[in-house]
Amino acid sequence: MKADFHIWRGDASGGKFEMYSTEVAEGMVVLDAVHQIQAEQANDLAVRWNCKAGKCGSCSAEVNGLPKLMCMTRLSELPLDKPVLLQPLKAFPLIKDLVTDVSWNYSVKKKIKKFKPRAPDAKDGTWRMYQQDIDRVQEFRKCIECFLCQDVCHVLREHQLYDRFIGPRFLVYTAALEMHPLDIEDRMDDLKKANGIGYCNITKCCTSVCPEDITITDNAIIPLKERVADRFYDPVKRLFRLFRSK
Ligand code: FES
């Protein structure tokens, strides 16, 4: 059977949706259809991909208005009686067609304080950790940096607070460091000020689009917000800090 695809074509200076019709078969994903259109009808169609297995995070786009990995979105999940709408991520500058410039994310990552382990627990230079503490951060390390959570986050997408908020991806990254049983770095001040955790109002949009099913809001962002609240707003701790600083 044939299916129709409305694909955004253009670059930063402008563009428009173009309609393509292509043969589809059972088991095809959106990225298959895009490759077929690229091969048969639009050789200059720009699309970023790499693994085609949901693990590299390259093929992020908006499919029928929802942030998705094109390689993991089966055509059978979509209503093919209407054209499938394909657009680039809206939260990042467009390079061409379905490809956006996500380099802002890499500059954010560089600014987050790195892993700083405590001194080794044993004379042979090794550490001792509880498995449950490792399990807790393991979830965060599943992130493939597809940036779908950044794309759907209204603080970035609508309000464009790129200079004040690091977005859910990097709150997850910070959580993985902060909750690591060996880490002794202090990122609370950065989280509150430069990294803008207060801007997140826990709508859970990020959690709902994560292809790795990371419980971004409940397991990463809310515990970090609690740590920031404990540090800066707990009256007993504030009093304690006041006395200590005298
Ligand atoms: Fe790697 Fe889709 S091509 S995640």
Side-chain angles (χ1 to χ4, degrees):
M1 93 179 234
K2 284 215 169 208
D4 296 328
F5 293 82
H6 243 156
I7 303 180
W8 174 259
R9 302 296 314 269
D11 56 26
S13 64
K16 61 180 177 13
F17 284 98
E18 297 279 356
M19 180 75 98
Y20 301 94
S21 196
T22 195
E23 197 67 37
V24 297
E26 201 183 337
M28 278 175 75
V29 293
V30 170
L31 187 61
D32 291 326
V34 169
H35 281 159
Q36 200 163 281
I37 290 164
Q38 191 186 46
E40 295 172 353
Q41 304 172 51
N43 300 154
D44 60 344
L45 171 61
V47 56
R48 185 190 285 133
W49 69 285
N50 194 336
C51 69
K52 206 172 172 282
K55 289 296 163 203
C56 73
S58 305
C59 66
S60 302
E62 297 190 6
V63 179
N64 286 348
L66 294 174
K68 296 265 188 198
L69 293 179
M70 287 190 285
C71 72
M72 298 305 284
T73 307
R74 288 193 178 275
L75 292 178
S76 57
E77 294 166 15
L78 304 172
L80 295 182
D81 53 332
K82 309 184 258 222
V84 177
L85 198 67
L86 295 181
Q87 294 166 265
L89 299 180
K90 187 184 166 190
F92 303 110
L94 180 64
I95 296 177
K96 185 174 185 295
D97 303 335
L98 297 175
V99 178
T100 48
D101 176 3
V102 294
S103 58
W104 172 79
N105 292 286
Y106 304 121
S107 61
V108 168
K109 194 174 196 175
K110 279 190 203 154
K111 285 192 256 173
I112 295 171
K113 287 179 183 157
K114 302 290 173 274
F115 178 64
K116 184 172 163 188
R118 65 173 188 246
D121 299 325
K123 283 200 179 114
D124 63 359
T126 58
W127 289 268
R128 303 291 177 266
M129 291 173 275
Y130 289 108
Q131 187 60 44
Q132 71 228 40
D133 290 338
I134 290 299
D135 292 344
R136 189 178 186 201
V137 293
Q138 199 57 36
E139 177 189 14
F140 306 140
R141 298 180 66 90
K142 290 193 301 179
C143 176
I144 58 171
E145 295 202 327
C146 61
F147 305 126
L148 295 182
C149 60
Q150 305 285 74
D151 185 54
V152 82
C153 174
H154 64 97
V155 182
L156 299 174
R157 185 184 179 97
E158 308 299 337
H159 302 292
Q160 315 227 316
L161 299 182
Y162 297 95
D163 56 340
R164 277 172 269 174
F165 182 59
I166 58 175
R169 158 58 192 140
F170 296 106
L171 292 174
V172 166
Y173 179 68
T174 304
L177 293 164
E178 278 293 308
M179 295 178 199
H180 194 290
L182 299 187
D183 182 76
I184 54 168
E185 186 57 271
D186 185 345
R187 301 172 187 85
M188 289 301 112
D189 210 49
D190 288 351
L191 265 179
K192 179 173 182 281
K193 295 173 187 158
N195 299 344
I197 192 167
Y199 285 105
C200 169
N201 53 4
I202 52 177
T203 52
K204 303 195 181 187
C205 309
C206 49
T207 304
S208 69
V209 300
C210 178
E212 288 291 318
D213 294 323
I214 302 171
T215 318
I216 300 173
T217 315
D218 288 0
N219 290 355
I221 298 179
I222 290 175
L224 288 180
K225 276 179 172 282
E226 287 170 348
R227 287 178 186 211
V228 168
D230 272 359
R231 168 72 64 86
F232 295 100
Y233 304 109
D234 182 313
V236 177
K237 286 189 181 160
R238 284 179 77 172
L239 212 57
F240 179 71
R241 275 203 308 279
L242 209 64
F243 280 119
R244 217 175 41 175
S245 63
K246 282 187 176 170

